[in-house]
Amino acid sequence: MSILDDLESLKFEYGIPEEERYWLYLKGRYRGLMIKGCAHAVFFCKLFCSLREILQETRRAVQPRAVSFGAAAAEDEMLKVGIIGCGHLGKQLANVLLKLVPIPAENLQISTRRPEALVEFQKLGVRCLYDNAYVANWAKVLFLCCLPSQLPNICLEIQSKLEKTCTVFSFVSAIPLPRLKLLLNHTNILRPQYHFAEDTDVIWGENKEIIAVLQDPVILRATCPYSKVGGIILNIKWLEGVFYSAINICTARNVFHSHVLQILDKLFLSVHLESCKEDSASCPKFQLTDFMNKSYVKSLFHRRPFPWFDLTAVQVKETPFSQHLSATPVLQHHLTLLYCDSFGISLTKEELPEVSGGSPSQGSQG
């Protein structure tokens, strides 16, 4: 396509009056949103895979003789991802999940009104069909990439099919979490929210494929949860939801809360600052009171799992973890390093985004 670069009449902006060109910034904002959304979905799925591996290791350590599991147990340990809606965003998401997580093709299913148009995915071995209820019932993680106008009918189709432990990851920005919770009759929902700085920097690789963009260290750093580069800023309440989602996965497997804290340390604090190597006491460790209020902790028996958390409430209300995360810059730095490491890039201390105390941003979806 490079031979077309200098042909003005074939460019998106051609024919737009000068007084309306101001609105072209929306094109860059849309692309930046899609890139950030896909990056955060990849990060979540990578964490989900790592958590399942840690749980398998824990299970083998507790039951050393149970080296091999039955077929049903082995299937339960797999990450099975469903996507409902396969327009532009759905296709880009499917591509990045297949290539960057990577999710095996047989572990991805797509439900769309025109499955016959997804030949490229079918050739890879992805099952493409038009059966929202089937995909919702099958998936461990379900991405909603449909139009807002389609969502109420889709929710009616799938609400009785969702397993309690299925994590629904919604990209439908026009439907707020409380409404989505009612439509789905489901609490295990994640929905990233983004807000915008006044100026959106043009850094989003306009002429590059999304796969290539998400291998560019500059753009990847801009997608970090705490980064303000690019002018599109993630509401950190989503990151809190990811933590409580991991706890719910452990709760579903009846893992005692003392073991869950060790698992969270291993999952989220596996990449360290240089200062941690010099002074191990400066490295953060998770405590029960980081996730629950002190009065509840006192009543929690030692050999019990965490309670089941409503992820929709976690993302719209203040939680003990909100306060802990916003008051602990070193933890924020650890999470930034983990995020970058999951994409195969490293950060120096100078490249870490600025973090500060106070309540996490409550910006609305743009």
Side-chain angles (χ1 to χ4, degrees):
M1 295 296 292
S2 59
I3 62 173
L4 305 179
D5 283 350
D6 296 324
L7 299 179
E8 291 294 326
S9 63
L10 293 180
K11 291 188 177 180
F12 177 82
E13 307 89 75
Y14 183 76
I16 298 177
E18 193 64 38
E19 64 273 14
E20 294 182 10
R21 291 197 168 220
Y22 167 78
W23 300 105
L24 288 174
Y25 79 94
L26 291 173
K27 179 187 173 190
R29 181 174 285 187
Y30 167 77
R31 182 169 171 84
L33 271 176
M34 182 173 63
I35 291 168
K36 274 210 163 186
C38 286
H40 297 152
V42 168
F43 176 61
F44 174 73
C45 287
K46 282 177 176 282
L47 278 176
F48 198 107
C49 291
S50 297
L51 177 56
R52 285 175 172 263
E53 289 173 7
I54 293 170
L55 287 169
Q56 283 183 40
E57 292 168 6
T58 303
R59 188 173 176 183
R60 291 190 181 101
V62 173
Q63 299 174 313
R65 294 183 182 179
V67 176
S68 60
F69 304 108
E75 185 178 348
D76 186 57
E77 295 301 330
M78 292 190 305
L79 173 59
K80 297 188 288 187
V81 175
I83 298 175
I84 292 181
C86 205
H88 188 56
L89 173 60
K91 286 180 181 176
Q92 297 293 348
L93 178 64
N95 269 318
V96 297
L97 293 179
L98 287 168
K99 294 176 183 176
L100 297 183
V101 174
I103 293 171
E106 61 271 18
N107 287 12
L108 177 65
Q109 293 190 5
I110 300 171
S111 178
T112 177
R113 289 181 297 179
R114 295 187 61 225
E116 68 279 1
L118 302 181
V119 177
E120 70 272 28
F121 293 118
Q122 292 174 0
K123 286 180 178 177
L124 294 173
V126 176
R127 187 175 184 192
C128 304
L129 62 162
Y130 184 26
D131 192 335
N132 298 329
Y134 179 87
V135 171
N137 183 248
W138 172 84
K140 303 291 184 185
V141 176
L142 181 67
F143 288 97
L144 299 180
C145 301
C146 56
L147 296 173
S149 59
Q150 298 169 342
L151 191 63
N153 285 336
I154 288 172
C155 289
L156 278 175
E157 290 178 314
I158 71 176
Q159 63 173 212
S160 63
K161 303 296 182 180
L162 287 170
E163 296 287 340
K164 181 182 179 180
T165 55
C166 175
T167 303
V168 175
F169 195 119
S170 176
F171 281 115
V172 187
S173 61
I175 308 297
L177 268 169
R179 174 68 174 155
L180 190 55
K181 176 183 175 179
L182 286 174
L183 287 171
L184 285 173
N185 191 26
H186 193 71
T187 64
N188 214 38
I189 304 171
L190 288 173
R191 176 177 170 265
Q193 298 184 65
Y194 303 93
H195 66 281
F196 303 97
E198 254 182 60
D199 298 317
T200 301
D201 300 333
V202 185
I203 66 160
W204 300 110
E206 187 174 344
N207 297 318
K208 293 182 182 178
E209 293 291 329
I210 298 292
I211 299 295
V213 166
L214 290 179
Q215 294 171 334
D216 182 329
V218 174
I219 294 177
L220 267 176
R221 291 186 190 110
T223 68
C224 286
Y226 286 96
S227 175
K228 297 180 181 178
V229 176
I232 300 171
I233 303 165
L234 173 69
N235 185 335
I236 296 301
K237 295 296 288 181
W238 173 80
L239 190 56
E240 292 178 38
V242 170
F243 269 84
Y244 284 99
S245 173
I247 293 173
N248 279 351
I249 291 170
C250 295
T251 299
R253 285 162 176 71
N254 237 6
V255 181
F256 296 155
H257 60 72
S258 56
H259 292 155
V260 174
L261 293 174
Q262 296 171 19
I263 289 170
L264 294 179
D265 285 342
K266 193 170 184 179
L267 181 64
F268 289 101
L269 302 175
S270 58
V271 186
H272 297 281
L273 299 162
E274 286 296 323
S275 58
C276 295
K277 298 171 185 176
E278 299 165 6
D279 178 15
S280 59
S282 68
C283 190
K285 295 288 181 186
F286 294 118
Q287 309 291 330
L288 272 177
T289 50
D290 295 339
F291 301 100
M292 298 185 296
N293 62 54
K294 292 179 181 178
S295 59
Y296 192 94
V297 168
K298 288 178 182 177
S299 65
L300 191 65
F301 291 107
H302 178 66
R303 295 176 69 81
R304 289 287 187 277
F306 273 93
W308 184 265
F309 289 105
D310 179 340
L311 300 189
T312 63
V314 164
Q315 292 167 90
V316 298
K317 296 179 180 178
E318 193 78 1
T319 67
F321 193 60
S322 305
Q323 299 163 13
H324 176 64
L325 186 57
S326 62
T328 317
V330 67
L331 175 57
Q332 298 174 33
H333 283 145
H334 273 74
L335 296 177
T336 298
L337 291 174
L338 173 71
Y339 179 87
C340 290
D341 184 73
S342 71
F343 286 95
I345 66 172
S346 57
L347 292 181
T348 64
K349 185 178 180 181
E350 291 70 28
E351 289 173 326
L352 285 168
E354 290 183 18
V355 296
S356 59
S359 297
S361 170
Q362 297 296 316
S364 60
Q365 178 92 13

